[in-house]
Amino acid sequence: MHWVKPSLICIVLHLTSTISNSEILPGISVCGKHPHDRIYGGQQTDITEFPWMAILEYNLPNTKHRFRCGGSLITKRHVLTAAHCITDKLVNVRLGEHNLKTDPDCEDTTPGLEYCADPPKNIGIEKTYVPEPYQSEDRNHHGDIAIIKLKEDVDFSNFIIPICLPLSEELKNKLYAGKNLTVAGWGRTEDAYHSDVKLKVELPVLSDASCSEYYKKFTVNISGGQLCAGGQKGKDSCTGDSGGPLMHLHRTRDEENWYVIGLVSFGTAQCGRENSPAVYTRVPYFDEWILNTLKL
């Protein structure tokens, strides 16, 4: 993870619509669920983990690394990612992927016990949206969030499921300082450092005061729309994507759902350094913009 590069973006104004949120967003009986936990020989498999994860494909003819930024499916038609991932080279979103080098992706090769994922889906892009505060040349990276509208609806399955948005007052107002959240992705940033297999890591969230104080030394102004996580040696969002989700598993008596709390935005030049957290866009801060954009 390092300072992000400028990118071409499209801007939208805050617009409203008479369409209700319940008509667009999946309910908690659908979003943020792992289809099942499959255990063989005491080892929990992970081929269905984080089935909302998306990886973005770019038209880059002179490189083998076409897949770079990450994102999260939030409706049957929309993917949430970082604004700095939106460029004129972005061509497709891939869903239902686990290992970029294998097709199909399988977990157990024992005859009769094979468990393989459906083929991943590559879907074209109808439009992209970025909020007005974001300016690619701004080193503060305020408003580093984007929505990709896909060209067609996605059919949900065991391997493609949307993640939940933190829209309740409880989740919108929660600060998570001192709590561990999970970031996942293929380790691909805008400069194509990567893993072929989907990875995950748990990271502690810093207080807003500690986050702001740390980044003052880089003359970066941390806003209310950002949060810091990480700072543990050898653990960072280098294992995730730019635009990938920072996630919270929310449990109630009746439900267990994953929510997207942050998006991988930027960090210092060397990831995984002790006491050097990365910065994430705080998703609840942009809930009104997200909901208005989903109705366009």
Side-chain angles (χ1 to χ4, degrees):
M1 176 62 61
H2 51 78
W3 305 111
V4 297
K5 292 185 176 180
S7 60
L8 298 176
I9 61 173
C10 39
I11 307 278
V12 294
L13 298 173
H14 288 257
L15 297 175
T16 59
S17 170
T18 57
I19 302 173
S20 68
N21 298 336
S22 61
E23 292 180 85
I24 300 174
L25 294 171
I28 58 172
S29 63
V30 176
C31 70
K33 298 287 191 181
H34 282 165
H36 39 65
D37 293 326
R38 304 180 72 255
I39 301 176
Y40 288 116
Q43 297 293 320
Q44 182 170 323
T45 60
D46 61 357
I47 200 168
T48 57
E49 271 193 293
F50 313 123
W52 41 85
M53 292 294 303
I55 189 165
L56 309 188
E57 183 180 9
Y58 296 81
N59 181 16
L60 301 168
N62 296 323
T63 176
K64 62 181 180 179
H65 298 302
R66 305 187 327 272
F67 295 99
R68 298 199 171 182
C69 284
S72 306
L73 186 70
I74 54 173
T75 78
K76 61 185 179 181
R77 196 68 178 267
H78 299 89
V79 169
L80 193 66
T81 188
H84 75 264
C85 292
I86 304 300
T87 80
D88 59 350
K89 301 293 186 182
L90 179 60
V91 292
N92 284 315
V93 172
R94 177 172 286 190
L95 297 166
E97 182 62 278
H98 177 70
N99 187 334
L100 286 159
K101 281 196 170 181
T102 61
D103 187 16
D105 292 333
C106 299
E107 284 190 333
D108 195 315
T109 58
T110 304
L113 293 177
E114 301 95 335
Y115 182 69
C116 298
D118 299 333
K121 295 183 181 296
N122 293 320
I123 304 175
I125 294 165
E126 181 175 313
K127 197 166 185 179
T128 58
Y129 302 93
V130 173
E132 286 186 328
Y134 181 73
Q135 298 293 330
S136 59
E137 66 276 6
D138 178 15
R139 67 184 287 106
N140 297 309
H141 308 292
H142 295 161
D144 192 11
I145 186 172
I147 289 176
I148 299 171
K149 186 175 184 180
L150 304 174
K151 281 188 176 179
E152 59 187 70
D153 290 352
V154 176
D155 293 326
F156 299 154
S157 69
N158 282 344
F159 308 99
I160 299 178
I161 295 172
I163 194 170
C164 302
L165 292 175
L167 300 179
S168 70
E169 289 303 314
E170 176 189 359
L171 293 173
K172 284 196 295 185
N173 296 324
K174 195 168 183 177
L175 297 178
Y176 301 98
K179 304 293 185 182
N180 283 345
L181 299 184
T182 302
V183 64
W186 290 262
R188 291 173 182 253
T189 70
E190 68 280 7
D191 281 340
Y193 297 103
H194 69 279
S195 164
D196 290 309
V197 179
K198 191 191 305 177
L199 304 174
K200 66 177 180 179
V201 65
E202 288 192 355
L203 300 173
V205 177
L206 278 68
S207 68
D208 291 347
S210 297
C211 181
S212 296
E213 185 64 29
Y214 177 79
Y215 274 92
K216 278 182 182 178
K217 67 182 74 174
F218 303 105
T219 64
V220 171
N221 175 33
I222 299 297
S223 73
Q226 295 168 303
L227 61 89
C228 281
Q232 294 180 325
K233 187 175 181 180
K235 293 185 177 182
D236 206 342
S237 50
C238 287
T239 61
D241 290 329
S242 291
L246 183 68
M247 302 170 287
H248 165 61
L249 181 59
H250 183 65
R251 293 183 174 96
T252 67
R253 187 175 65 178
D254 301 317
E255 296 284 351
E256 182 176 277
N257 304 79
W258 285 92
Y259 287 80
V260 54
I261 304 302
L263 304 174
V264 179
S265 183
F266 71 96
T268 55
Q270 184 178 352
C271 68
R273 293 178 59 188
E274 194 169 7
N275 301 317
S276 182
V279 177
Y280 296 76
T281 302
R282 192 189 301 267
V283 172
Y285 186 86
F286 294 92
D287 64 341
E288 183 178 354
W289 175 82
I290 292 171
L291 292 174
N292 287 337
T293 302
L294 294 180
K295 297 171 185 177
L296 296 178

